[in-house]
Amino acid sequence: MTNKKMERKLQARHITMIAIGGCIGTGLFMASGAVVSKAGSYGAVFTYGLIGVIIYFLMASIGELATFYPVSGSFGSYATRFIDPGLGFGIGWLYWILWILVSSVDIITLSKILHYWEFFRQFSTFYICMFFLVLLYILNVVSVKVFGEIEYWITIIKVLTVIVFLIVGAAIIFGITNNTDAGITTFIKNGEKTSTAGLLGLFGIFSTAAFSFGGTEIVAVTAGESPNPKETMPKAVKQVFWRILIFYIATMFIISSIVSADDSRLLDTNNVTASPFTIVFQNVGLGIAAVIMNIVILTSVLSAANSGLYVSSRQLFSLSLSNYGPKSFKKLNSNSIPTIALSFSVVFMILCFIFEKLNPKGYYMLLSMVGIVVMIIWMVSLISQIRLRKAIIRQGKKAEDVLPYTAKTGVVGSYIALISFGIIAILQLVSDYLTGGIVQMSYNLVCPVICLILYISFKLVTKRKFVKLEEMDIDPYSEK
């Protein structure tokens, strides 16, 4: 074990695919059907289009930060340098908690999916979770290049599945399969449900759409292991935005044009045979559609868990470098992997498995904790970029002279995204309170409260102050 710096072995294609793979998962394959069912065709297409634009503002902002300050475990580092060391401490640990939760939920979901096949029913979900966790640990401990390659090819499988779905859907719409119930007429008819969805229904759709894009921010974390982040980050931001936006909007259009919004199967997100992708494939006589989608969704959640384990270990590595965590977390093995940080993350994932096994509502509770945390992380990154721009002006310099890459949307796009995410987070809390009471809403607040406690504790112990614009470090990043 050494304390040498992390090697930069991720190529541009790895970074692009990691970001794309992060947000093409169960949210698209499963939850998209529920969105059409609740909001109708117009509401679904409009919502995903609008959220997609807001995500572009976010990605542009993150791209600007990632090229200026390309470090692993980025978000806590951004907050420390551009806002407040205390906030950086709290957000750094909150982002680690987020990916522990996400990875744990993904692996638990994977175990439930495997129970679709009779062979796997002889094993409990806990033992299946442990098996795949060990497998992912081995893959992550070998080499970051191996991690990048695995993510690259798994994402290709997911992308090809979406493309095949769009081709089959277009064929159905244009009458190649002689399905008279599909087409623009069905899309228009499904649009009638948009007007009857109600405000509460639309609130839930906005949050679902936003959370479906969760994972795109991973591109910033990979900056610390990219050989040339000044070139790869802007390229990844542009490619990810257009591909994801086209995939989501086109998917919503296809589903809304083929499947009735009143189809009760669209709301059954716990059943893989009810995936809108499966329903569309079944409409053209593909009897093995459920099996195909099960395999694809299986690879999706495995990919997401793999990404989560990667991010969580790099986050602990970053916290250690900032003296916000134990020094042992920054020790690297011969393959430039923070093995101790990786092992620490695995231990807490095992605790999540045990919690889910012992608590009947454990799975839902873990899942509920994720949503608001994602919004907080996004908003803090946007504030970091806005304050960086303000500091550049305050210190009498120009953004073009200081920043290797400047977001085309500037701070205007960042303000729009910041306000939008704030509204969506509040609406999510209101929606949960109205549908499940104070108990359901409280699940969303557990992690933010932990972050607040960490922030207050840090401020009381260290007495470190808020970063003033005129004192902010805006010198180019250099590796030590």
Side-chain angles (χ1 to χ4, degrees):
M1 290 286 181
T2 65
N3 287 328
K4 65 181 181 179
K5 67 182 181 181
M6 197 169 283
E7 296 179 13
R8 297 179 178 272
K9 295 182 178 180
L10 290 179
Q11 301 172 19
R13 65 187 180 91
H14 293 143
I15 292 171
T16 299
M17 282 301 183
I18 287 170
I20 291 176
C23 54
I24 294 183
T26 52
L28 179 64
F29 293 132
M30 301 300 294
S32 55
V35 170
V36 173
S37 179
K38 292 179 180 178
S41 55
Y42 300 143
V45 172
F46 171 76
T47 299
Y48 273 88
L50 179 61
I51 295 297
V53 172
I54 296 172
I55 291 295
Y56 174 70
F57 294 154
L58 169 70
M59 290 294 290
S61 173
I62 289 177
E64 189 171 287
L65 290 170
T67 51
F68 178 71
Y69 194 32
V71 293
S72 290
S74 309
F75 299 100
S77 300
Y78 297 158
T80 295
R81 183 170 177 175
F82 307 124
I83 306 176
D84 185 336
L87 184 61
F89 177 75
I91 289 296
W93 281 102
L94 183 65
Y95 197 59
W96 175 75
I97 292 172
L98 168 65
W99 282 104
I100 291 299
L101 292 173
V102 169
S103 299
S104 300
V105 168
D106 284 330
I107 295 178
I108 294 170
T109 302
L110 183 149
S111 68
K112 294 179 182 295
I113 293 173
L114 281 176
H115 275 191
Y116 172 82
W117 287 285
E118 187 174 351
F119 171 77
F120 292 102
R121 293 172 192 166
Q122 62 183 307
F123 308 106
S124 71
T125 56
F126 178 80
Y127 288 118
I128 294 175
C129 287
M130 291 300 299
F131 171 80
F132 279 99
L133 181 59
V134 171
L135 176 63
L136 293 180
Y137 177 82
I138 294 172
L139 293 176
N140 273 268
V141 84
V142 174
S143 167
V144 69
K145 193 170 183 180
V146 172
F147 161 80
E149 286 296 330
I150 291 172
E151 281 301 297
Y152 180 80
W153 290 107
I154 289 180
T155 299
I156 283 181
I157 292 173
K158 293 192 285 187
V159 170
L160 288 176
T161 300
V162 176
I163 291 174
V164 170
F165 170 79
L166 297 179
I167 293 173
V168 172
I172 296 174
I173 291 173
F174 287 105
I176 295 178
T177 60
N178 296 319
N179 188 331
T180 57
D181 294 329
I184 300 300
T185 304
T186 300
F187 182 84
I188 295 173
K189 184 177 180 181
N190 284 337
E192 296 174 359
K193 198 159 189 176
T194 302
S195 59
T196 60
L199 289 177
L200 186 60
L202 292 177
F203 290 169
I205 295 308
F206 270 104
S207 60
T208 301
F211 301 154
S212 295
F213 286 94
T216 51
E217 78 284 345
I218 294 178
V219 70
V221 181
T222 63
E225 293 176 82
S226 168
N228 192 358
K230 293 181 181 180
E231 291 185 8
T232 55
M233 289 299 116
K235 185 182 296 183
V237 169
K238 294 177 183 176
Q239 292 179 347
V240 168
F241 166 71
W242 287 111
R243 292 176 187 179
I244 295 301
L245 191 61
I246 291 172
F247 281 165
Y248 270 96
I249 292 181
T251 296
M252 288 300 150
F253 177 78
I254 294 293
I255 295 172
S256 300
S257 299
I258 297 176
V259 185
S260 171
D262 294 322
D263 192 323
S264 60
R265 294 175 296 174
L266 292 178
L267 289 172
D268 188 6
T269 54
N270 293 318
N271 183 359
V272 70
T273 59
S275 164
F277 282 64
T278 303
I279 295 172
V280 170
F281 287 143
Q282 287 175 334
N283 284 354
V284 292
L286 291 176
I288 61 170
V291 176
I292 295 173
M293 283 312 304
N294 235 343
I295 294 173
V296 172
I297 295 173
L298 193 67
T299 60
S300 296
V301 294
L302 189 62
S303 166
N306 192 32
S307 296
L309 194 55
Y310 164 83
V311 174
S312 64
S313 64
R314 270 52 178 185
Q315 186 62 26
L316 289 180
F317 175 81
S318 175
L319 287 167
S320 181
L321 286 180
S322 302
N323 295 319
Y324 290 167
K327 293 180 180 180
S328 58
F329 288 163
K330 62 183 175 184
K331 292 183 178 180
L332 306 176
N333 65 9
S334 58
N335 293 321
S336 188
I337 304 296
T339 311
I340 296 177
L342 185 66
S343 301
F344 186 79
S345 296
V346 165
V347 169
F348 275 83
M349 289 176 64
I350 294 174
L351 293 177
C352 288
F353 297 157
I354 295 174
F355 174 77
E356 191 273 338
K357 180 179 176 62
L358 300 178
N359 192 326
K361 294 183 179 180
Y363 181 72
Y364 174 78
M365 290 176 69
L366 292 173
L367 194 60
S368 297
M369 293 177 188
V370 173
I372 297 298
V373 176
V374 174
M375 292 293 175
I376 293 173
I377 300 295
W378 286 353
M379 288 190 287
V380 168
S381 67
L382 289 164
I383 294 172
S384 297
Q385 187 253 356
I386 291 171
R387 295 200 80 245
L388 172 60
R389 286 294 195 101
K390 286 184 175 181
I392 292 173
I393 295 173
R394 179 71 62 86
Q395 296 182 30
K397 298 181 180 180
K398 295 182 179 180
E400 294 75 12
D401 297 330
V402 175
L403 304 174
Y405 162 75
T406 55
K408 292 183 178 179
T409 55
V411 293
V412 175
S414 299
Y415 274 116
I416 293 173
L418 179 63
I419 294 171
S420 299
F421 291 139
I423 293 173
I424 292 172
I426 293 172
L427 294 180
Q428 178 63 37
L429 291 173
V430 172
S431 177
D432 284 345
Y433 176 76
L434 294 177
T435 56
I438 191 69
V439 175
Q440 183 169 320
M441 186 182 75
S442 66
Y443 296 159
N444 293 309
L445 300 176
V446 172
C447 292
V449 169
I450 292 175
C451 181
L452 181 61
I453 292 172
L454 290 172
Y455 173 77
I456 294 173
S457 300
F458 182 91
K459 300 294 283 187
L460 291 175
V461 172
T462 67
K463 309 296 183 183
R464 293 178 67 178
K465 298 180 180 180
F466 193 81
V467 178
K468 297 180 180 179
L469 295 178
E470 55 271 16
E471 298 176 356
M472 185 184 296
D473 178 10
I474 60 172
D475 292 333
Y477 172 75
S478 59
E479 290 185 298
K480 298 180 180 179

